[in-house]
Every structure is written in C-alpha cells, then in structure tokens.
Amino acid sequence: MADATERSIVITHQVGLHARPSVKLTKLAKSFDADIRVRGEGTEDWVDAKSIVRVMGLKLREGTTIFFKADGPDAAQALDALVGLVERDFDEHAA
C-alpha cells in the first residue's frame, strides 16, 4: 500500500462498533474496488474492512479512534464514505 490514503475519526456511537454498525461498515467497504484496511486506536494491526468477522473482532467502543487506510482507484471516495458513515453514527440513532 505505498500510495495508501489514510483517515481517522473518533467513534461517537453510544455502543461503539457492535454488530449492526460493523455490517454497515463492511457493506459500504465492499462497494468500493479499493483495498481498505481498518484498525483501532492502540493497535498496529490492520484488518480487512470488508470482513465482518475481522471488523467486529476489533471491538471498538465509543470514544475510540478508528483508522482507515485504502489503496486503489477509488480509495479517496471510499475513505470519505466510511468516515462519513462513522460521523453519522452509522446512520443509527442510539437509544
């Protein structure tokens, strides 16, 4: 990923990156051709953003910074979309 683009954002969703937000994140990631990786604050291990098992395995909670890295023809658009999804609390309104 020599030409990778990176972005980060703090998760503000009340329960963090649980099942439904993880599904939305991976489905959105799969809509792009770019190779997209994700990791959480405090870890150096990047995981495939298109893998629900790996994304849920990060167990990211509210207040944690999530980092995205993408490489490919639509990398910038992918990162804009993923950061936007996190900004919008995964299009959910936590109770």
Side-chain angles (χ1 to χ4, degrees):
M1 285 192 158
D3 296 330
T5 301
E6 292 188 33
R7 300 271 304 269
S8 64
I9 186 169
V10 174
I11 296 173
T12 57
H13 191 283
Q14 195 172 34
V15 292
L17 195 57
H18 64 88
R20 284 191 314 264
S22 293
V23 168
K24 289 181 179 181
L25 189 148
T26 56
K27 284 178 79 173
L28 182 58
K30 288 177 182 177
S31 71
F32 295 95
D33 291 331
D35 179 28
I36 305 168
R37 301 287 174 176
V38 62
R39 72 174 176 85
E41 178 182 343
T43 179
E44 297 300 318
D45 296 330
W46 293 92
V47 301
D48 184 355
K50 299 177 183 180
S51 167
I52 184 68
V53 172
R54 297 203 184 264
V55 169
M56 285 188 67
L58 293 172
K59 300 180 180 176
L60 301 180
R61 299 181 183 269
E62 179 185 19
T64 303
T65 301
I66 185 170
F67 298 85
F68 296 102
K69 178 167 62 174
D71 187 29
D74 54 1
Q77 294 89 346
L79 294 182
D80 286 345
L82 290 164
V83 168
L85 181 67
V86 176
E87 278 179 335
R88 297 187 312 272
D89 282 343
F90 303 93
D91 295 330
E92 291 186 352
H93 298 286

